[in-house]
Amino acid sequence: MFGIPGKQAVTMTPAAAEQIMLLMQRDAHEGLRIGIKKGGCAGMEYTMEYVKNIDPHDEVVEQEGARVMIAPMAQMFLFGTEIDYKTSLLESGFVFNNPNVTEACGCGESIKFADT
């Protein structure tokens, strides 16, 4: 929808692709849908959910066997984002390196985009 021909909307690091593939194999999911919703102290939050059926309006990105779907309303906010998966002593989870983000809250759970 908001893509550039020949360029994927988002990319995944090898660590993220591996984790997404593991999640897809569990319960035979088609992939993960990524979206944006209002919330958090900075105004917006990322969402992720398992997908059993691909919505024809989703942007589908496949890389190294992993598949993510981008919800239509989130496509313009996520274009150019790199999805990573980090593991530390206390936590593990997906990290979004999004060039469209102008601010993030101190806890790292919510983000803000430039006013358009």
Side-chain angles (χ1 to χ4, degrees), residues 15-29 50 65-66 85:
E18 181 179 341
Q19 184 64 26
I20 290 169
M21 281 186 6
L22 290 172
L23 293 171
M24 287 172 59
Q25 291 169 358
R26 186 182 343 167
D27 299 327
H29 295 113
Y50 293 112
Y85 188 80

PDB file of all heavy atoms in Angstrom, residues 15-29 50 65-66 85:
ATOM      1  N   ALA A  15      18.136 -12.934  14.030  1.00  0.00           N
ATOM      2  CA  ALA A  15      17.572 -13.321  15.332  1.00  0.00           C
ATOM      3  C   ALA A  15      16.050 -13.188  15.331  1.00  0.00           C
ATOM      4  O   ALA A  15      15.337 -14.053  15.853  1.00  0.00           O
ATOM      5  CB  ALA A  15      18.180 -12.478  16.449  1.00  0.00           C
ATOM      6  N   ALA A  16      15.532 -12.106  14.750  1.00  0.00           N
ATOM      7  CA  ALA A  16      14.077 -11.908  14.690  1.00  0.00           C
ATOM      8  C   ALA A  16      13.436 -12.942  13.779  1.00  0.00           C
ATOM      9  O   ALA A  16      12.392 -13.517  14.116  1.00  0.00           O
ATOM     10  CB  ALA A  16      13.754 -10.500  14.205  1.00  0.00           C
ATOM     11  N   ALA A  17      14.041 -13.193  12.629  1.00  0.00           N
ATOM     12  CA  ALA A  17      13.490 -14.179  11.701  1.00  0.00           C
ATOM     13  C   ALA A  17      13.427 -15.559  12.350  1.00  0.00           C
ATOM     14  O   ALA A  17      12.428 -16.272  12.218  1.00  0.00           O
ATOM     15  CB  ALA A  17      14.317 -14.220  10.422  1.00  0.00           C
ATOM     16  N   GLU A  18      14.473 -15.924  13.064  1.00  0.00           N
ATOM     17  CA  GLU A  18      14.497 -17.222  13.736  1.00  0.00           C
ATOM     18  C   GLU A  18      13.390 -17.319  14.782  1.00  0.00           C
ATOM     19  O   GLU A  18      12.678 -18.329  14.856  1.00  0.00           O
ATOM     20  CB  GLU A  18      15.856 -17.444  14.400  1.00  0.00           C
ATOM     21  CG  GLU A  18      15.982 -18.777  15.094  1.00  0.00           C
ATOM     22  CD  GLU A  18      17.352 -18.985  15.719  1.00  0.00           C
ATOM     23  OE1 GLU A  18      18.316 -18.293  15.344  1.00  0.00           O
ATOM     24  OE2 GLU A  18      17.442 -19.850  16.607  1.00  0.00           O
ATOM     25  N   GLN A  19      13.213 -16.277  15.586  1.00  0.00           N
ATOM     26  CA  GLN A  19      12.167 -16.293  16.620  1.00  0.00           C
ATOM     27  C   GLN A  19      10.782 -16.324  15.994  1.00  0.00           C
ATOM     28  O   GLN A  19       9.893 -17.035  16.467  1.00  0.00           O
ATOM     29  CB  GLN A  19      12.310 -15.082  17.541  1.00  0.00           C
ATOM     30  CG  GLN A  19      11.343 -15.065  18.691  1.00  0.00           C
ATOM     31  CD  GLN A  19      11.528 -16.220  19.663  1.00  0.00           C
ATOM     32  OE1 GLN A  19      12.610 -16.783  19.786  1.00  0.00           O
ATOM     33  NE2 GLN A  19      10.469 -16.594  20.351  1.00  0.00           N
ATOM     34  N   ILE A  20      10.565 -15.577  14.931  1.00  0.00           N
ATOM     35  CA  ILE A  20       9.264 -15.562  14.260  1.00  0.00           C
ATOM     36  C   ILE A  20       8.967 -16.936  13.668  1.00  0.00           C
ATOM     37  O   ILE A  20       7.842 -17.435  13.750  1.00  0.00           O
ATOM     38  CB  ILE A  20       9.198 -14.440  13.206  1.00  0.00           C
ATOM     39  CG1 ILE A  20       9.172 -13.085  13.914  1.00  0.00           C
ATOM     40  CG2 ILE A  20       7.975 -14.609  12.301  1.00  0.00           C
ATOM     41  CD1 ILE A  20       9.375 -11.897  13.012  1.00  0.00           C
ATOM     42  N   MET A  21       9.981 -17.589  13.069  1.00  0.00           N
ATOM     43  CA  MET A  21       9.777 -18.940  12.542  1.00  0.00           C
ATOM     44  C   MET A  21       9.374 -19.911  13.647  1.00  0.00           C
ATOM     45  O   MET A  21       8.485 -20.739  13.452  1.00  0.00           O
ATOM     46  CB  MET A  21      11.041 -19.434  11.835  1.00  0.00           C
ATOM     47  CG  MET A  21      11.189 -18.879  10.451  1.00  0.00           C
ATOM     48  SD  MET A  21      12.576 -19.537   9.489  1.00  0.00           S
ATOM     49  CE  MET A  21      13.268 -20.821  10.442  1.00  0.00           C
ATOM     50  N   LEU A  22      10.012 -19.808  14.812  1.00  0.00           N
ATOM     51  CA  LEU A  22       9.641 -20.669  15.937  1.00  0.00           C
ATOM     52  C   LEU A  22       8.193 -20.438  16.354  1.00  0.00           C
ATOM     53  O   LEU A  22       7.445 -21.379  16.630  1.00  0.00           O
ATOM     54  CB  LEU A  22      10.568 -20.419  17.126  1.00  0.00           C
ATOM     55  CG  LEU A  22      12.006 -20.900  16.984  1.00  0.00           C
ATOM     56  CD1 LEU A  22      12.858 -20.398  18.155  1.00  0.00           C
ATOM     57  CD2 LEU A  22      12.063 -22.414  16.889  1.00  0.00           C
ATOM     58  N   LEU A  23       7.783 -19.175  16.391  1.00  0.00           N
ATOM     59  CA  LEU A  23       6.405 -18.848  16.761  1.00  0.00           C
ATOM     60  C   LEU A  23       5.407 -19.325  15.701  1.00  0.00           C
ATOM     61  O   LEU A  23       4.297 -19.741  16.027  1.00  0.00           O
ATOM     62  CB  LEU A  23       6.261 -17.345  16.991  1.00  0.00           C
ATOM     63  CG  LEU A  23       7.018 -16.793  18.200  1.00  0.00           C
ATOM     64  CD1 LEU A  23       6.982 -15.273  18.209  1.00  0.00           C
ATOM     65  CD2 LEU A  23       6.473 -17.358  19.501  1.00  0.00           C
ATOM     66  N   MET A  24       5.812 -19.258  14.432  1.00  0.00           N
ATOM     67  CA  MET A  24       4.943 -19.732  13.347  1.00  0.00           C
ATOM     68  C   MET A  24       4.724 -21.241  13.450  1.00  0.00           C
ATOM     69  O   MET A  24       3.619 -21.726  13.210  1.00  0.00           O
ATOM     70  CB  MET A  24       5.552 -19.393  11.985  1.00  0.00           C
ATOM     71  CG  MET A  24       5.489 -17.935  11.612  1.00  0.00           C
ATOM     72  SD  MET A  24       6.435 -17.557  10.112  1.00  0.00           S
ATOM     73  CE  MET A  24       5.652 -18.613   8.901  1.00  0.00           C
ATOM     74  N   GLN A  25       5.770 -21.963  13.790  1.00  0.00           N
ATOM     75  CA  GLN A  25       5.678 -23.426  13.857  1.00  0.00           C
ATOM     76  C   GLN A  25       4.796 -23.883  15.012  1.00  0.00           C
ATOM     77  O   GLN A  25       4.118 -24.898  14.911  1.00  0.00           O
ATOM     78  CB  GLN A  25       7.071 -24.027  13.982  1.00  0.00           C
ATOM     79  CG  GLN A  25       7.884 -23.850  12.721  1.00  0.00           C
ATOM     80  CD  GLN A  25       9.351 -24.195  12.906  1.00  0.00           C
ATOM     81  OE1 GLN A  25       9.789 -24.530  13.989  1.00  0.00           O
ATOM     82  NE2 GLN A  25      10.111 -24.090  11.823  1.00  0.00           N
ATOM     83  N   ARG A  26       4.794 -23.106  16.079  1.00  0.00           N
ATOM     84  CA  ARG A  26       3.925 -23.442  17.213  1.00  0.00           C
ATOM     85  C   ARG A  26       2.477 -23.204  16.801  1.00  0.00           C
ATOM     86  O   ARG A  26       2.118 -22.129  16.345  1.00  0.00           O
ATOM     87  CB  ARG A  26       4.269 -22.562  18.422  1.00  0.00           C
ATOM     88  CG  ARG A  26       3.512 -22.961  19.652  1.00  0.00           C
ATOM     89  CD  ARG A  26       3.763 -22.126  20.858  1.00  0.00           C
ATOM     90  NE  ARG A  26       4.956 -21.313  20.822  1.00  0.00           N
ATOM     91  CZ  ARG A  26       5.208 -20.342  21.677  1.00  0.00           C
ATOM     92  NH1 ARG A  26       4.353 -20.056  22.620  1.00  0.00           N
ATOM     93  NH2 ARG A  26       6.307 -19.658  21.597  1.00  0.00           N
ATOM     94  N   ASP A  27       1.657 -24.193  16.884  1.00  0.00           N
ATOM     95  CA  ASP A  27       0.233 -24.110  16.538  1.00  0.00           C
ATOM     96  C   ASP A  27      -0.018 -23.753  15.080  1.00  0.00           C
ATOM     97  O   ASP A  27      -1.089 -23.267  14.733  1.00  0.00           O
ATOM     98  CB  ASP A  27      -0.501 -23.117  17.445  1.00  0.00           C
ATOM     99  CG  ASP A  27      -0.443 -23.507  18.905  1.00  0.00           C
ATOM    100  OD1 ASP A  27      -0.431 -24.717  19.189  1.00  0.00           O
ATOM    101  OD2 ASP A  27      -0.388 -22.605  19.760  1.00  0.00           O
ATOM    102  N   ALA A  28       0.975 -23.949  14.218  1.00  0.00           N
ATOM    103  CA  ALA A  28       0.831 -23.753  12.763  1.00  0.00           C
ATOM    104  C   ALA A  28       0.282 -22.373  12.391  1.00  0.00           C
ATOM    105  O   ALA A  28      -0.677 -22.249  11.633  1.00  0.00           O
ATOM    106  CB  ALA A  28      -0.032 -24.855  12.160  1.00  0.00           C
ATOM    107  N   HIS A  29       0.897 -21.322  12.906  1.00  0.00           N
ATOM    108  CA  HIS A  29       0.496 -19.959  12.554  1.00  0.00           C
ATOM    109  C   HIS A  29       1.064 -19.587  11.189  1.00  0.00           C
ATOM    110  O   HIS A  29       2.121 -20.059  10.795  1.00  0.00           O
ATOM    111  CB  HIS A  29       0.999 -18.957  13.607  1.00  0.00           C
ATOM    112  CG  HIS A  29       0.372 -19.158  14.938  1.00  0.00           C
ATOM    113  ND1 HIS A  29       1.073 -19.578  16.036  1.00  0.00           N
ATOM    114  CD2 HIS A  29      -0.909 -19.006  15.349  1.00  0.00           C
ATOM    115  CE1 HIS A  29       0.264 -19.680  17.063  1.00  0.00           C
ATOM    116  NE2 HIS A  29      -0.949 -19.340  16.673  1.00  0.00           N
ATOM    117  N   TYR A  50      -0.650 -13.374  16.682  1.00  0.00           N
ATOM    118  CA  TYR A  50      -0.533 -14.547  15.824  1.00  0.00           C
ATOM    119  C   TYR A  50      -1.571 -14.468  14.715  1.00  0.00           C
ATOM    120  O   TYR A  50      -2.676 -13.972  14.931  1.00  0.00           O
ATOM    121  CB  TYR A  50      -0.770 -15.823  16.620  1.00  0.00           C
ATOM    122  CG  TYR A  50       0.288 -16.118  17.639  1.00  0.00           C
ATOM    123  CD1 TYR A  50      -0.007 -16.050  18.992  1.00  0.00           C
ATOM    124  CD2 TYR A  50       1.576 -16.466  17.263  1.00  0.00           C
ATOM    125  CE1 TYR A  50       0.952 -16.332  19.943  1.00  0.00           C
ATOM    126  CE2 TYR A  50       2.550 -16.745  18.204  1.00  0.00           C
ATOM    127  CZ  TYR A  50       2.237 -16.680  19.540  1.00  0.00           C
ATOM    128  OH  TYR A  50       3.193 -16.949  20.478  1.00  0.00           O
ATOM    129  N   GLY A  65      12.315 -17.535   5.736  1.00  0.00           N
ATOM    130  CA  GLY A  65      11.280 -18.443   6.208  1.00  0.00           C
ATOM    131  C   GLY A  65      10.317 -17.842   7.210  1.00  0.00           C
ATOM    132  O   GLY A  65       9.330 -18.469   7.576  1.00  0.00           O
ATOM    133  N   ALA A  66      10.584 -16.630   7.671  1.00  0.00           N
ATOM    134  CA  ALA A  66       9.697 -15.949   8.619  1.00  0.00           C
ATOM    135  C   ALA A  66       8.732 -15.052   7.850  1.00  0.00           C
ATOM    136  O   ALA A  66       9.072 -14.510   6.803  1.00  0.00           O
ATOM    137  CB  ALA A  66      10.510 -15.117   9.605  1.00  0.00           C
ATOM    138  N   TYR A  85      15.360  -9.180  17.523  1.00  0.00           N
ATOM    139  CA  TYR A  85      14.965  -9.924  18.717  1.00  0.00           C
ATOM    140  C   TYR A  85      16.160  -9.944  19.640  1.00  0.00           C
ATOM    141  O   TYR A  85      17.236 -10.386  19.265  1.00  0.00           O
ATOM    142  CB  TYR A  85      14.527 -11.350  18.371  1.00  0.00           C
ATOM    143  CG  TYR A  85      13.927 -12.073  19.552  1.00  0.00           C
ATOM    144  CD1 TYR A  85      12.610 -11.837  19.916  1.00  0.00           C
ATOM    145  CD2 TYR A  85      14.671 -12.966  20.301  1.00  0.00           C
ATOM    146  CE1 TYR A  85      12.043 -12.487  21.010  1.00  0.00           C
ATOM    147  CE2 TYR A  85      14.108 -13.615  21.394  1.00  0.00           C
ATOM    148  CZ  TYR A  85      12.803 -13.373  21.743  1.00  0.00           C
ATOM    149  OH  TYR A  85      12.251 -13.998  22.824  1.00  0.00           O
TER     150      TYR A  85
END
